[in-house]
Every structure is written in C-alpha cells, then in structure tokens.
C-alpha cells in the first residue's frame, strides 16, 4: 500500500490526521522498508586456476594469477578473516579449506600439494602482510648515531641449522627472511604449488613466497626455544627494500614470533645489547 492509501485507511477509523501524524506514518513506512530490504551477501567471483595448468607456469606467473583473483575478491576475503578471527585463509573457488588464527597454525608443503591434487586446483593463500613501521633501530644503519636492535635467530629443517643475527622490530608483524639463502641451504624449496607474490615496502616492490619454517630464538646462554610458523621469504634480498635502512640486515623478526615464544627481552641502549631470557 502507498502512504496515501494507509493514511486513508487510518482516517476511516480515527478521523482526519494532522500533517505531523502523516509525516510520522511516512517515516515509519521508510524504516520498515529499510529493515525488510534483502541484504546482498558478498559472492565469490571467479575460479582458482587448475593445478595441472598452473604447475606448467613459473612461480611468478602463478602468483600474478592468484593475486588478480585476490584483488577481485578482496572485500569477501577480508570479511571472512573478520568473521573467523583468522590471520590467514586457504581458499578454492570461494570455499575456505583451511584457516588459522595465528601464523603458527600453518601448512606444510606436503599438505599443500595434497590439497592441490585432491581438488585439482591451485589454492589461494590469503595472508595479508601487515605494515612495517621501521621505527626503532639498533644494528648500525645508514643514519648517524643510529643502531637497530638485534636477536639471535635460528632457522631449521630436519637436517640443517642456520644461525642469523636478525634485526628485531616490534613495528613489524611477520618474520622476513632471505629466500635465496634458504633455498640454497635446502631449508625451503619452491614447489609446483608455490606462487610468488608481490608486495611493497618503503615504496619499493618486492617478491616473496610464504613458507612454514621452524624458527628459534636463542637466549643469553644460547638456549633455543622454537616453533613452526608461516614466514615471508623475500627474493633478491640484497636489492629489496629490507636493506634500505640497514644494508647489513639478513633477516627481520617481528612481534608474531615473540608473541608465540613469549620471551623476556631486555634492550640495553647504552651497550647496544639484547638479552633474551625464557620464563
């Protein structure tokens, strides 16, 4: 019924209505209409590439296809992250196969390959990188009288151990590593299921792959405490934006690893020393 028809029906019962009452009826009708309008649920757009075809492409080409699919569905993906309180999603054709609330809830190469073969599709791993603030510094940097805090970081596989003095920055979230070094050392390998993604830091693009890696921090006595977590492995590290502020940087440890391992960290600014203790 229209507003005029409703007013006419009401006036038949209670008599003539003044203008203010008619306006109130009109407002009530609008509110009811807004509440009863069907909500448009976001729909997934497009399809993931077939695994058979994607495996014939280069890792960079696979990344370009998946990032195009990500951009097309960015709002949908971010909504699902919020609904699930997730840190990452693994998606095929709008179906969430796996997700994790932290980066330690991760996915091995073998699990990823198994999913590719089972579904016949290349999944999209949606793990948005958080901004890196690059604020506090300890290791000597390009700036006068400036240094960047460091921590002793150990990267492991079943048979290989690599120790690094990594920059430590709570303004970063993830752990950033040199992909080429890790690949040469045999700690990671680029499989047919791996896409190489592109992102930007300090206004400069960089390419990376996300890998589940065993990581340990070492305390003041060299005692390690380890976990396995998704890490950002950056290609062409020495020409990447990660060495712009500190040319000596070999790795960057953000707060995710510390939140997982729960160390006590003391930063001595007078001596430029970091002390790690386990509770």
């Amino acid at each position: 019924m229209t507003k005029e028809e409703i007013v006419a029906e009401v006036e038949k019962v209670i008599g003539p209505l003044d203008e203010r009452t008619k306006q109130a009826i009109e407002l009530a009708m609008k509110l009811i209409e807004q509440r009863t309008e069907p909500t448009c649920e976001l729909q997934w757009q497009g399809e993931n590439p077939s695994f058979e075809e994607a495996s014939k492409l280069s890792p960079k080409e696979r990344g370009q296809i998946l990032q195009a699919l990500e951009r097309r569905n960015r709002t949908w993906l971010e909504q699902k992250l919020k609904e699930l309180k997730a840190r990452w999603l693994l998606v095929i054709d709008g179906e969430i196969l796996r997700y994790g609330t932290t980066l330690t809830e991760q996915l091995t190469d073998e699990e990823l390959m198994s999913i590719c073969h089972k579904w016949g599709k290349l999944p999209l791993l949606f793990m948005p990188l958080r901004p890196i603030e690059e604020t506090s510094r300890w290791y000597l940097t390009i700036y006068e009288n400036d240094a960047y805090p460091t921590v002793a970081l150990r990267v492991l596989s079943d048979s290989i151990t690599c120790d690094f003095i990594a920059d430590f920055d709570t303004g970063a979230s993830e752990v950033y590593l040199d992909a080429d070094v890790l690949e040469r050392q045999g700690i990671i390998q680029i499989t047919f299921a791996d896409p190489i993604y592109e992102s930007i830091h300090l206004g400069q693009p960089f390419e990376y792959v996300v890998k589940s890696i065993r990581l340990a921090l070492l305390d003041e006595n060299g005692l390690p405490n380890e976990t396995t977590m998704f890490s950002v492995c950056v290609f062409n590290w020495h020409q990447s934006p990660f060495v712009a502020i500190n040319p000596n940087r070999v790795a960057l440890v953000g707060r995710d690893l510390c939140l997982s391992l729960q160390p006590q960290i003391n930063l001595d600014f007078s001596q430029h020393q970091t002390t790690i203790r386990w509770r």
Side-chain angles (χ1 to χ4, degrees):
M1 296 177 68
T2 66
K3 182 194 77 170
E4 290 75 15
E5 289 173 334
I6 291 177
V7 169
E9 290 297 319
V10 172
E11 287 183 327
K12 287 179 184 178
V13 178
I14 64 174
L17 302 177
D18 59 28
E19 195 59 34
R20 186 175 181 81
T21 304
K22 292 178 181 178
Q23 290 174 355
I25 291 175
E26 183 178 8
L27 177 60
M29 289 179 63
K30 288 181 179 179
L31 291 173
I32 292 171
E33 184 179 351
Q34 289 173 359
R35 291 185 180 182
T36 56
E37 282 180 352
T39 57
C40 296
E41 185 177 350
L42 285 172
Q43 299 294 323
W44 178 267
Q45 303 293 321
E47 295 184 6
N48 288 62
S50 76
F51 179 55
E52 181 180 0
E53 294 301 319
S55 64
K56 299 173 184 176
L57 303 175
S58 70
K60 185 173 181 178
E61 289 171 326
R62 291 196 288 269
Q64 290 171 341
I65 291 172
L66 288 180
Q67 285 198 296
L69 188 65
E70 175 187 315
R71 288 192 294 270
R72 190 175 179 184
N73 292 282
R74 185 76 187 207
T75 303
W76 186 94
L77 290 161
E78 289 177 345
Q79 178 177 300
K80 295 303 178 184
L81 276 185
K82 185 176 180 181
E83 289 174 0
L84 297 169
K85 297 181 173 58
R87 184 68 178 83
W88 59 268
L89 308 170
L90 192 71
V91 184
I92 291 181
D93 295 346
E95 182 165 348
I96 299 173
L97 307 184
R98 295 272 295 272
Y99 71 92
T101 56
T102 70
L103 298 189
T104 55
E105 299 172 79
Q106 32 69 44
L107 190 68
T108 66
D109 286 347
E110 292 75 19
E111 289 172 318
L112 185 57
M113 289 293 289
S114 176
I115 289 170
C116 289
H117 287 297
K118 178 180 177 180
W119 286 78
K121 294 282 187 89
L122 183 67
L124 168 64
L125 175 62
F126 180 61
M127 191 189 87
L129 302 185
R130 294 172 175 172
I132 304 172
E133 296 176 8
E134 294 273 19
T135 51
S136 57
R137 302 175 178 88
W138 195 271
Y139 211 131
L140 293 178
T141 73
I142 60 174
Y143 303 109
E144 187 178 358
N145 299 319
D146 189 25
Y148 220 111
T150 58
V151 290
L153 175 70
R154 178 166 291 171
V155 183
L156 311 98
S157 68
D158 291 338
S159 58
I160 301 168
T161 298
C162 294
D163 287 341
F164 301 97
I165 300 299
D167 283 4
F168 173 54
D169 192 342
T170 57
S173 180
E174 300 84 6
V175 174
Y176 293 81
L177 302 167
D178 185 331
D180 301 305
V181 167
L182 297 186
E183 195 172 14
R184 284 198 302 270
Q185 293 292 334
I187 290 177
I188 67 170
Q189 59 177 339
I190 307 303
T191 72
F192 292 122
D194 283 319
I196 292 178
Y197 295 117
E198 184 174 296
S199 188
I200 294 178
H201 176 49
L202 299 177
Q204 181 181 339
F206 66 94
E207 295 179 345
Y208 69 96
V209 64
V210 176
K211 286 290 189 178
S212 297
I213 299 180
R214 286 173 59 198
L215 302 173
L217 291 177
L218 308 182
D219 71 5
E220 57 188 334
N221 299 312
L223 180 67
N225 192 1
E226 75 170 67
T227 188
T228 302
M229 68 188 306
F230 276 138
S231 303
V232 182
C233 303
V234 178
F235 292 94
N236 202 20
W237 178 271
H238 293 290
Q239 279 70 50
S240 77
F242 291 92
V243 298
I245 288 179
N246 176 14
N248 299 309
R249 177 181 290 168
V250 296
L252 177 66
V253 171
R255 56 189 179 273
D256 283 331
L257 181 59
C258 296
L259 288 169
S260 174
L261 297 179
Q262 296 286 296
Q264 286 184 326
I265 300 179
N266 179 66
L267 302 179
D268 186 335
F269 285 84
S270 64
Q271 299 298 316
H272 287 184
Q273 290 182 346
T274 303
T275 303
I276 292 180
R277 296 187 179 92
W278 305 115
R279 296 179 185 275

